[in-house]
């Protein structure tokens, strides 16, 4: 990093006085207890749904969420309407006999009913899990069963394709609530019509008290092996969402805010729903997928002032070319942030050239529940860096010692594992039903993130890579094991090994290496068949984009597929330590 490439903040970058100007001072003064007291006004209870919606009595007529869709006129829910609708949903849950702590799953695109059910479920004290609607049936069945879902809210179209044929494989599901097209009525055997239930329910409800440690949200994330992990988050997480909305997104009351992430991923919930509502701002929600012209149009026409998006999206905008952007102006836009994967320095500078603003990269993960390290208004940006730990967050670069402990790396520029001192409010409180897996993430006071990073002499953190084999494609974390398992269901497949292959736009794409059972020919037709099989089972966001046939996959002596070696071979890199390779030595 040479000093000339630092992006210095100028007056035009800061169109309002930022919430956060004095990095060292604020870190020094900060305490989570003080933020908690501010948010809860000293009461011992906290409920994300109530705090995000009902607390804002004075904002009853202000737009909370503004829903955009290609073929429908925009629909706005004010804070008052959102309070009434979420109350109705609480009463629906009560009438169905749902109890506090029961799991309510949601599988839907970014439609108003998703937001109502999520916030209503939280207000009711249920544990809510929003699933990505582009998942195929296999990831859905796995997660519904791991989470022991009692209620599933989905749309009739998703139900027909992804739930109905497999309903018998989800025995915990007692109630499936269906939303018809455009929120209208619907009927399918064995389901309940959401619109009817809501119509019949009262819009007043005294929210059930929840406390800081009551579970609120379940977000699934992927590891290298085994099933996805259900990260449990508590109501107290709202304290982090609120603080980080202020420090890392610079939310001010008059902002029009747009987070492009889907609530099926943690960013779309923590920062697409909770943080902006806690701050009482107006959020834009677009139902459609990425489209450069559409996105530029939304930024301009909705007068978005704060925009939180992802590196893949920024790279796609860059690819769409300067001409696409030149037709638009964004006079209201004043702060842009991104998360989810490394943000290339060129992308930060593209922001400055095309949007007139640098892009503030920040870092966090499902387990941390909220932004931990960020480029903020309080300091200059070093393009390519994730920024500095926020107030209330202690980060370190560590190395594991042979005796099961850790040592902290003080030396700037030295690579190690990124760790966070435990204790921030949105820290996950467990992996559902997997205590041992949870406890393995901690050594002493430190939570080990599984990311490799380094810190420079100015305290900026730089992402290096992962310590494990998970894949990041278009910002979505994909577990290779889930993909391998789906491939192996096909009768032709003897074994599969899955890696992330670098991609200039998506970060990585999923590539599978497959060995075949006797009697199957490794030809183009089979390759297409396997790609289609995986896509049908897993959904397009998770399925491999490429399949290569191999006679045999490399294994360790203990029988594990050596994905690291597959990747090194794919990239033409040195194969590293192969002493554990089956047949070696
Ligand atoms: P997820 O739990 O799906 O949100 O994925 C979290 C992972 O995404 C992190 O552990 C990192 O590997 C990666 N990630 C998130 N933000 C960044 C960033 N700003 N730069 C590089 N990698 C990131």
């Amino acid at each position: 990093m040479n000093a000339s490439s630092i992006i210095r903040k100028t007056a035009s970058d800061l169109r309002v006085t930022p919430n956060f100007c004095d990095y060292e001072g604020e870190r020094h003064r900060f305490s989570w207890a003080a933020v908690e007291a501010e948010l809860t006004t000293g009461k011992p209870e906290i409920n994300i749904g109530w705090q995000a919606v009902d607390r804002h009595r004075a904002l009853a007529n202000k737009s909370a969420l503004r829903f955009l869709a290609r073929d429908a006129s925009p629909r706005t829910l004010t804070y008052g309407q959102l309070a009434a609708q979420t109350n109705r949903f609480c009463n629906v849950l009560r009438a169905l006999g749902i109890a506090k702590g029961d799991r309510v799953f949601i599988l839907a695109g970014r439609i108003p009913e998703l937001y109502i059910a999520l916030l209503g479920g939280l207000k009711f004290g249920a544990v809510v899990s929003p699933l990505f609607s582009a998942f195929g049936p296999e990831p859905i069945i796995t997660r519904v069963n791991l989470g022991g879902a009692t209620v599933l809210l989905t749309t009739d179209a998703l139900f027909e394709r992804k739930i109905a044929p497999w309903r018998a494989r989800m025995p915990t599901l007692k109630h499936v609530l269906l939303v018809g097209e455009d929120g209208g009525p619907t009927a399918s055997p064995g389901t309940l019509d959401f619109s009817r239930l809501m119509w019949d329910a009262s819009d007043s409800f005294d929210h059930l008290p929840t406390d800081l440690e009551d579970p609120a949200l379940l977000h699934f994330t992927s590891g290298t092996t085994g099933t996805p992990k259900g990260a449990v988050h508590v109501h107290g997480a709202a304290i982090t969402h609120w603080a980080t909305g202020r420090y890392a997104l610079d939310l001010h009351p008059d902002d029009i805010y747009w987070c492009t992430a889907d609530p099926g991923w943690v960013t779309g919930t923590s920062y697409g729903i909770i943080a902006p509502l806690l701050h009482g701002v107006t959020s834009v929600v677009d139902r459609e997928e990425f489209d450069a012209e559409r996105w530029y149009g939304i930024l301009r026409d909705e007068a978005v002032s704060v925009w939180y998006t992802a590196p893949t999206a920024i790279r796609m905008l860059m690819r769409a070319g300067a001409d696409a952007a030149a037709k638009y102006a964004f006079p209201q836009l004043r702060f842009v942030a991104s998360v989810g994967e490394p943000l290339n320095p060129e992308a930060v500078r593209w922001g400055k050239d095309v949007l007139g603003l640098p892009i503030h990269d920040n870092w966090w993960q499902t387990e941390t529940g909220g932004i931990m390290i960020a480029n903020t208004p309080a300091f200059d940006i070093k393009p390519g860096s994730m920024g500095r730990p926020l107030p209330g967050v202690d980060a370190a670069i560590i190395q594991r010692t042979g005796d099961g402990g850790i040592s902290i790396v003080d030396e700037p520029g030295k690579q190690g594992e990124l760790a966070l001192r435990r204790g921030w409010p949105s820290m996950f409180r467990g992996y559902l039903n997997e205590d041992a897996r949870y406890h393995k993430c901690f050594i002493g006071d430190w939570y080990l993130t599984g990311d490799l990073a380094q810190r420079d002499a100015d305290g900026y953190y730089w992402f290096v890579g992962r310590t494990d084999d998970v894949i990041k494609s278009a910002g979505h974390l994909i577990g290779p094991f889930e993909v391998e398992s789906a491939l192996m269901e096909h009768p032709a497949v003897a074994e599969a090994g899955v890696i992330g292959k670098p991609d200039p736009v998506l970060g990585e794409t999923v590539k599978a290496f497959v060995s075949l059972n006797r009697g199957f020919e490794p030809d183009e037709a089979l390759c297409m068949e396997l790609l289609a099989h995986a896509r049908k089972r897993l959904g397009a966001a998770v399925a491999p984009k490429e399949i290569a046939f191999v006679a045999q996959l490399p294994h360790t002596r203990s029988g594990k597929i050596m994905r690291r070696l597959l990747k090194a071979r794919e990239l033409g890199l040195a194969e590293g330590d192969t002493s554990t390779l089956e047949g070696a030595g």
Side-chain angles (χ1 to χ4, degrees):
M1 153 67 39
N2 74 50
S4 63
S5 60
I6 292 177
I7 297 191
R8 304 225 178 266
K9 292 286 162 64
T10 61
S12 66
D13 292 337
L14 307 171
R15 289 175 196 157
V16 299
T17 308
N19 295 321
F20 187 25
C21 300
D22 168 17
Y23 180 71
E24 298 299 345
E26 193 74 13
R27 272 181 69 79
H28 181 70
R29 284 186 294 273
F30 182 89
S31 90
W32 285 116
V35 184
E36 178 190 327
E38 205 183 332
L39 186 63
T40 60
T41 50
K43 292 211 193 83
E45 60 180 67
I46 184 167
N47 179 285
I48 297 179
W50 189 88
Q51 240 79 18
V53 180
D54 301 64
R55 186 170 58 96
H56 303 297
R57 278 190 219 291
L59 305 181
N61 295 321
K62 177 175 179 175
S63 299
L65 297 165
R66 200 171 138 72
F67 296 94
L68 310 179
R70 205 183 288 280
D71 299 324
S73 351
R75 189 176 151 197
T76 298
L77 284 175
T78 62
Y79 277 90
Q81 289 165 333
L82 197 53
Q85 292 293 324
T86 50
N87 279 350
R88 281 182 192 272
F89 190 65
C90 289
N91 287 317
V92 167
L93 293 178
R94 179 175 277 168
L96 293 174
I98 303 306
K100 183 176 169 185
D102 282 352
R103 315 242 163 89
V104 172
F105 277 49
I106 304 169
L107 177 75
R110 292 179 290 279
I111 55 175
E113 291 76 7
L114 184 166
Y115 295 74
I116 292 166
L118 188 138
L119 291 160
L122 291 173
K123 223 153 92 173
F124 184 80
V127 177
V128 182
S129 187
L131 297 180
F132 190 39
S133 61
F135 276 155
E138 235 21 87
I140 296 170
I141 297 166
T142 307
R143 285 161 179 76
V144 163
N145 286 330
L146 283 172
T150 311
V151 175
L152 174 71
L153 176 113
T154 187
T155 63
D156 51 5
L158 289 169
F159 177 75
E160 290 307 324
R161 282 193 292 132
K162 304 189 178 183
I163 304 292
W166 292 275
R167 178 101 186 245
R169 285 180 58 193
M170 293 176 267
T172 61
L173 272 187
K174 284 201 197 129
H175 308 286
V176 175
L177 278 45
L178 284 197
V179 180
E181 206 171 324
D182 290 327
T186 178
S188 249
T191 66
L192 298 165
D193 177 3
F194 176 80
S195 65
R196 178 84 243 166
L197 294 172
M198 290 289 278
W199 179 262
D200 289 342
S202 151
D203 65 3
S204 57
F205 182 84
D206 279 336
H207 80 279
L208 300 176
T210 44
D211 70 32
L212 288 166
E213 290 300 315
D214 276 333
L217 285 154
L218 186 58
H219 280 293
F220 289 92
T221 183
S222 297
T224 306
T225 54
T227 55
K229 303 175 274 188
V232 178
H233 289 284
V234 294
H235 279 277
I239 298 163
T240 302
H241 299 144
W242 201 45
T244 51
R246 177 190 285 168
Y247 292 123
L249 300 175
D250 197 38
L251 290 175
H252 285 56
D254 291 336
D255 277 320
I256 307 286
Y257 168 78
W258 183 24
C259 168
T260 59
D262 187 274
W265 305 94
V266 71
T267 306
T269 299
S270 295
Y271 295 100
I273 306 181
I274 301 169
L277 294 176
L278 287 172
H279 281 273
V281 306
T282 299
S283 271
V284 174
V285 175
D286 185 31
R287 192 189 297 188
E288 313 302 337
E289 292 315 313
F290 176 86
D291 172 329
E293 294 273 346
R294 181 174 174 81
W295 280 32
Y296 285 134
I298 291 174
L299 287 172
R300 179 191 62 190
D301 300 341
E302 297 297 320
V304 172
S305 56
V306 176
W307 190 37
Y308 194 22
T309 189
T312 291
I314 293 164
R315 289 190 291 263
M316 292 200 289
L317 288 175
M318 290 167 77
R319 204 173 54 164
D323 289 354
K327 289 181 249 158
Y328 300 86
F330 316 104
Q332 315 294 334
L333 194 62
R334 64 169 189 84
F335 193 80
V336 183
S338 99
V339 70
E341 10 153 14
L343 183 69
N344 344 28
E346 313 80 71
V348 180
R349 285 190 282 268
W350 171 89
K352 190 93 173 108
D353 294 342
V354 174
L355 305 173
L357 299 164
I359 297 169
H360 295 77
D361 186 26
N362 59 52
W363 176 95
W364 59 291
Q365 52 180 200
T366 304
E367 287 84 347
T368 71
I371 302 170
M372 298 282 105
I373 296 177
N375 287 286
T376 75
F379 44 86
D380 296 329
I381 294 177
K382 296 191 188 185
S385 157
M386 314 187 286
R388 300 204 265 179
L390 290 178
V393 175
D394 276 341
I397 301 296
I398 62 104
Q399 259 155 11
R400 295 177 191 246
T401 52
D403 56 2
I406 55 166
S407 66
I408 293 188
V409 178
D410 282 324
E411 217 176 302
K414 198 160 168 208
Q415 188 175 315
E417 191 169 348
L418 176 62
L420 303 167
R421 195 189 296 279
R422 63 160 93 216
W424 69 97
S426 66
M427 188 181 87
F428 69 134
R429 298 299 199 273
Y431 287 131
L432 196 68
N433 308 329
E434 292 194 279
D435 277 354
R437 216 169 173 186
Y438 177 67
H439 290 298
K440 254 180 86 177
C441 300
F442 296 86
I443 298 181
D445 266 354
W446 294 91
Y447 163 64
L448 276 60
T449 66
D451 278 5
L452 295 172
Q454 58 191 50
R455 192 188 58 243
D456 69 18
D458 298 324
Y460 286 68
Y461 282 74
W462 299 76
F463 180 80
V464 174
R466 292 280 309 183
T467 59
D468 58 16
D469 292 336
V470 293
I471 299 160
K472 258 276 158 140
S473 185
H476 301 150
L477 200 68
I478 297 170
F481 181 77
E482 216 172 353
V483 181
E484 290 159 3
S485 306
L487 282 167
M488 285 180 63
E489 277 173 23
H490 191 283
V493 177
E495 254 191 333
V498 166
I499 63 160
K501 183 177 166 180
D503 180 274
V505 175
L506 302 175
E508 289 185 312
T509 54
V510 179
K511 174 162 185 178
F513 294 86
V514 165
S515 66
L516 295 178
N517 283 319
R518 211 178 286 217
F520 290 92
E521 282 304 312
D523 55 20
E524 186 61 21
L526 183 58
C527 180
M528 298 311 280
E529 186 179 324
L530 291 179
L531 286 170
H533 161 83
R535 210 180 149 93
K536 197 162 153 228
R537 308 296 294 160
L538 297 165
V542 182
K545 299 272 177 293
E546 202 182 323
I547 288 182
F549 294 115
V550 289
Q552 234 179 0
L553 290 166
H555 291 104
T556 61
R557 288 202 195 104
S558 60
K560 282 195 204 133
I561 295 168
M562 290 182 84
R563 301 187 188 107
R564 179 178 57 76
L565 199 57
L566 287 171
K567 189 157 179 171
R569 288 176 183 167
E570 172 71 25
L571 304 182
L573 301 173
E575 295 195 355
D577 179 8
T578 52
S579 60
T580 59
L581 183 65
E582 190 182 38

